[in-house]
Amino acid sequence: MIRRIAVLLGCVLVLSGLSGCGGDAHTFGVKAVAAGVPSLAPFFDEKQGLGQDAEVRSMPVQGSLQQGDTPGLYGGTKKPTICDVAKLRRFLTDPANHQKAVAWSGVLGINTVQIPGYLDRLTPVLLRHDTLVQNHDYKKGKATPYNSLLQSGIAILVDEQGEPAAKCSCGNPLRPFKGAASRISVKFADGNKKWNGYHASSVVAVRPAPRRMEGLALVDVEDPDTGITRPVGTTGKHDTTFDARKQHAVPDLAGATFGDARRQLVSSGLAVGYGGGALPSDDARVTATDPPAGTELRFGEYVLLSVAGGTSGGATSTPPGPTSSSPTTSSPTTSGPTLAPPTSTAPPSTSAPTPPPSSPPSEPPPSSSSPTTGSPAVATHSPPSSAPVISSAPVTSAPVTAGASVPTGTPAATTVTATTTET
């Protein structure tokens, strides 16, 4: 009896993130980070006004892993003050802060010389979902990693594939969350009290878009009927707006691979929903969509894909591109960048700095051409190899809506039935 009690106590003690006695149970400890609450060990003094969070209600998701080019994944505002990238650049390039610069750049897989060019390719956005990341405090001269849940409304910088790169208010570098979003234990402490609207089923982790983007299609958090097209590497001065209320039809995706179906939906300004706790592989075949083809939906609304089979892996991060410190000078568009990838097959420039150790090789960096006009969603560069370029007719769209959360588990053939709800 004493031995049995000891075994049971041992199981209780591992709930903070170690494997449980059942073999399959594994809980990932996560620290909550509420909007507007300062970090206890920041890279940058938050009193200097580097970034400004907002009050944004967390939106539900359909699929806990979303790629960085998902239409409406992030929000924006007409006030270009959510992140002072120039101030962060001055701080990290100041010789007096060299030790912090070394720690900061090391997290992101670059060196201190590459910091200005890297910052010029980051884009400030506001989170529209409670988002899991690997955060980093600055302690004893080093970057200290920890898993954290960032509340919706927090201002962050994202890279060219839509992955979180830095928290604006404190400059802390961010990397992808490596655990399972469905098995987290969130600790609300140090002033980060549990916020209204928090639901574990609506937490999202961001994976890189399949290719570098030219622009991000955001939702105005103060006016959800308005969409914002923000060119990558700009802070809001070159924003253009579009009507986020107009609807467009769900394409016929039956028989397409998940990768191709996803490209078509993103090109149409629609978000991809799926069942299970992991993204389906790109070569899985779509068996059905909910709602069915032809249904009129709004910008950022989810289309649930039922898939079967598949063996390949998902998208991977793209190494940092050129290190030129000159800011983006592309002219803004009048109606948002085109939704479809450009059809030109000419390869972009191949010069790029040494890629981060953790990032696999990917396509060359994009050219500096201005985004083309068209419908309001993300514009991307041509695929790195022979991946098909999906060309969709320009579409305008409507306010982001999202449906109920989906169950966990990853069956071989997933059939999901859910309804979408407007926000």
Side-chain angles (χ1 to χ4, degrees):
M1 179 63 70
I2 293 176
R3 289 178 180 175
R4 290 178 182 177
I5 294 174
V7 170
L8 290 174
L9 289 174
C11 288
V12 173
L13 292 176
V14 297
L15 292 178
S16 62
L18 300 176
S19 296
C21 293
D24 294 330
H26 193 93
T27 303
F28 298 90
V30 175
K31 294 181 180 180
V33 177
V37 177
S39 171
L40 296 180
F43 269 75
F44 190 94
D45 185 358
E46 300 195 41
K47 296 180 181 179
Q48 300 300 315
L50 177 65
Q52 183 177 350
D53 298 336
E55 292 186 10
V56 178
R57 180 169 63 90
S58 179
M59 305 299 296
V61 296
Q62 293 182 359
S64 58
L65 297 178
Q66 292 293 324
Q67 291 180 286
D69 60 350
T70 299
L73 176 64
Y74 297 120
T77 174
K78 297 183 181 70
K79 303 172 184 176
T81 57
I82 62 172
C83 196
D84 194 334
V85 181
K87 185 178 291 185
L88 179 59
R89 183 190 298 109
R90 289 194 298 269
F91 179 84
L92 290 172
T93 55
D94 187 337
N97 301 317
H98 179 70
Q99 190 170 1
K100 283 189 175 182
V102 170
W104 191 91
S105 60
V107 170
L108 297 163
I110 59 176
N111 57 47
T112 56
V113 175
Q114 294 172 309
I115 287 177
Y118 180 78
L119 288 173
D120 284 339
R121 297 190 303 279
L122 300 183
T123 309
V125 298
L126 292 169
L127 294 178
R128 298 186 69 238
H129 308 276
D130 294 340
T131 304
L132 290 164
V133 296
Q134 185 186 68
N135 206 338
H136 295 78
D137 277 340
Y138 184 76
K139 296 180 179 179
K140 298 181 179 179
K142 296 181 179 180
T144 305
Y146 64 97
N147 292 328
S148 70
L149 178 66
L150 304 183
Q151 184 185 8
S152 60
I154 286 179
I156 66 169
L157 291 169
V158 299
D159 65 17
E160 295 163 300
Q161 288 179 275
E163 276 194 307
K167 187 173 181 288
C168 287
S169 65
C170 60
N172 288 5
L174 307 174
R175 299 309 298 151
F177 176 71
K178 298 178 182 179
S182 59
R183 298 197 300 271
I184 59 172
S185 176
V186 183
K187 180 181 179 182
F188 293 89
D190 302 324
N192 298 285
K193 297 181 180 180
K194 189 173 182 177
W195 48 81
N196 293 331
Y198 166 72
H199 296 287
S201 61
S202 295
V203 168
V204 68
V206 180
R207 294 295 179 262
R211 63 198 78 180
R212 289 185 174 118
M213 298 179 289
E214 291 182 350
L216 284 80
L218 313 175
V219 174
D220 189 330
V221 298
E222 298 173 347
D223 178 15
D225 288 341
T226 300
I228 299 174
T229 300
R230 179 165 297 168
V232 165
T234 64
T235 59
K237 294 181 179 180
H238 299 294
D239 285 358
T240 56
T241 60
F242 59 88
D243 187 351
R245 296 171 297 179
K246 293 183 179 179
Q247 297 183 329
H248 44 86
V250 175
D252 184 1
L253 301 174
T257 64
F258 179 80
D260 287 346
R262 187 186 181 284
R263 280 189 284 272
Q264 292 190 56
L265 290 174
V266 170
S267 296
S268 300
L270 297 174
V272 179
Y274 60 90
L279 275 171
S281 61
D282 280 352
D283 60 349
R285 291 288 172 176
V286 175
T287 58
T289 64
D290 183 15
T295 306
E296 296 288 327
L297 297 178
R298 301 178 178 186
F299 171 78
E301 198 165 3
Y302 281 92
V303 177
L304 298 175
L305 300 180
S306 298
V307 301
T311 57
S312 67
T316 55
S317 300
T318 298
T323 58
S324 171
S325 60
S326 56
T328 302
T329 57
S330 301
S331 301
T333 61
T334 56
S335 59
T338 183
L339 294 171
T343 57
S344 170
T345 58
S349 170
T350 57
S351 60
T354 303
S358 60
S359 300
S362 185
E363 61 174 314
S367 63
S368 58
S369 58
S370 302
T372 57
T373 58
S375 20
V378 285
T380 58
H381 292 278
S382 55
S385 59
S386 59
V389 177
I390 305 301
S391 178
S392 303
V395 188
T396 51
S397 19
V400 170
T401 58
S405 59
V406 296
T408 58
T410 314
T414 304
T415 301
V416 184
T417 57
T419 57
T420 53
T421 57
E422 298 184 9
T423 56

